[in-house]
Amino acid sequence: MAGKTENQQKVAKSGSRKRDIVRQTAYLPKAVHEQLRQLAFEERLKMHDYLIEGLDLVFAKRGLSSIQELMSTRMDK
Amino acid sequence: MAGKTENQQKVAKSGSRKRDIVRQTAYLPKAVHEQLRQLAFEERLKMHDYLIEGLDLVFAKRGLSSIQELMSTRMDK
């Protein structure tokens, strides 16, 4: 709408989903990256999928909430 | 040395270790990032450590080389 401030437009543009995402960079030794790339190719997945799967395994190992569980309660926070 | 080309200087500057690192960004839902942040605080580790541990668990689950194994054979490649 014409009455929106620049800031309101930014919020509308980014949406609630985008604001709920935090970037975390992984620094992978080349050999690790290469094994991951190979795995992603073979399983037809994205390398990013394995970072997420890995975190889920880290959480499971410690008896913490799974990513799916965290996502389903996301709206309550 | 004065005789080095610009490219040679770049290689010397970055060093072999730095060139062997590949960045991979993880996009974490806020709730996942928050649980990770909490875990890192409690275990006095860095959030990045869990991305690496997670990849290692992903590899182990599939019977692939561990990160330590990949690193020890790094110089042979």
Side-chain angles (χ1 to χ4, degrees), chain B residues 11-75:
Chain B
V11 169
K13 204 173 178 182
S14 63
S16 61
R17 295 300 296 268
K18 195 166 180 180
R19 281 184 292 136
D20 284 349
I21 297 291
V22 184
R23 278 179 296 184
Q24 171 77 40
T25 304
Y27 296 87
L28 307 177
K30 204 166 187 174
V32 175
H33 181 265
E34 192 52 34
Q35 178 162 283
L36 189 61
R37 202 174 72 86
Q38 183 75 26
L39 181 61
F41 173 75
E42 284 167 8
E43 298 189 349
R44 295 171 181 268
L45 289 175
K46 292 187 175 170
M47 290 199 283
H48 184 266
D49 297 330
Y50 298 100
L51 287 176
I52 300 299
E53 181 186 332
L55 280 184
D56 228 4
L57 292 170
V58 163
F59 292 158
K61 202 173 147 184
R62 290 161 174 84
L64 297 172
S65 302
S66 70
I67 290 175
Q68 197 176 0
E69 283 166 351
L70 289 169
M71 298 313 291
S72 62
T73 56
R74 191 169 54 102
M75 302 311 288

